[in-house]
Amino acid sequence: MNNIPIVFENNEIIIINKPAGISVQGGEGVAHPLDEELSKQMGYKLHLVHRLDKETCGLMVVAKNPAAAAKWINYIAGGNVKKEYIAITFGIPQLNGKEKKQGTIQDNVTKGKRELSAVTHFSVEKTWTTEIPSQNENDESKSLTFSKIHLKLGTGRMHQIRIHLAKAGAPIAGDDKHGNFKLNKMAKKALKIKNLLLCSKKLTLKENGKTTAFEVELPDYFSFENPKE
């Protein structure tokens, strides 16, 4: 495995730019979890402060010791770490049956047997339509509508963004778990979309009265979102 990119480091935390396809923790069938690989890379044990889905890329905080981990977990719970994401979706989100360019999705997500409240704020930055050529002479060409969406979390539930956008009628491209399998299959074949198009793009930290923001570029596989004019 290649070294995991480091964006920032101090005496308590490291902020990394997590690649897609890496599980953050070990488990059944997980050969190279991020917490183990990054610990090997740095030469000492690191501790997770929060998590990203295996398929999600972008900024993530890890701690250098248990005390720092506890501190930053509380920071996140207390709203001192703001997380912002970019997603590419099929279609435009709908609230109450109407397409909306911005708004707030408030809908419970299920964890085990529990229903947990969840809040996601979204703003559509751009929308475009891409023509999909017919696959054979008997088929008509089709079109797919995409949106580039900026998201801020009001809560941090597992798979929250993916579930909320799917429920709002705008599933994330490349999401085979919560998204639209038929559209994913079409996009994969015609547009070579193989990854989940969700990135933890910006983190803003507040500590001791000081605010610091970190931001990364979207990976190359998001580049199809700039269609030819």
Side-chain angles (χ1 to χ4, degrees), residues 52-53 56 83-89 93 105 107 109 118-122 149-172 175 178-179 196-201:
L52 292 177
D53 298 343
T56 303
K83 308 171 189 176
E84 299 179 48
Y85 292 75
I86 292 292
I88 306 295
T89 70
I105 303 170
D107 201 345
V109 298
V119 179
T120 304
H121 309 287
F122 71 90
I149 302 179
H150 176 259
L151 302 121
K152 294 183 179 180
L153 295 182
T155 55
R157 311 302 188 190
M158 182 181 292
H159 294 188
Q160 173 180 318
I161 291 174
R162 298 164 67 176
I163 293 169
H164 272 179
L165 287 175
K167 285 184 175 181
I172 299 176
D175 188 352
H178 300 288
L196 175 71
L197 297 186
L198 177 64
C199 178
S200 172
K201 194 173 189 304

Side-chain angles (χ1 to χ4, degrees), residues 27-139:
E28 185 177 353
V30 179
H32 301 284
L34 182 143
D35 56 351
E36 291 183 8
E37 294 300 317
L38 186 58
S39 294
K40 291 177 184 177
Q41 178 179 322
M42 300 303 296
Y44 52 88
K45 182 174 177 57
L46 293 165
H47 304 265
L48 297 175
V49 171
H50 65 113
R51 292 162 176 77
L52 292 177
D53 298 343
K54 176 181 178 180
E55 298 88 355
T56 303
C57 64
L59 293 167
M60 181 177 161
V61 180
V62 296
K64 292 186 171 184
N65 56 65
K71 172 183 173 179
W72 283 88
I73 288 170
N74 287 333
Y75 272 7
I76 290 176
N80 292 302
V81 178
K82 301 295 185 183
K83 308 171 189 176
E84 299 179 48
Y85 292 75
I86 292 292
I88 306 295
T89 70
F90 296 110
I92 301 171
Q94 297 183 21
L95 297 177
N96 299 319
K98 296 182 179 180
E99 291 183 348
K100 296 290 184 179
K101 291 297 182 75
Q102 62 181 16
T104 298
I105 303 170
Q106 300 185 62
D107 201 345
N108 290 353
V109 298
T110 303
K111 183 178 181 181
K113 296 182 179 180
R114 294 186 299 160
E115 289 286 317
L116 302 174
S117 62
V119 179
T120 304
H121 309 287
F122 71 90
S123 176
V124 178
E125 294 188 352
K126 63 185 293 187
T127 300
W128 70 95
T129 300
T130 298
E131 295 298 321
I132 306 298
S134 60
Q135 302 302 311
N136 59 64
E137 60 183 14
N138 295 321
D139 290 338

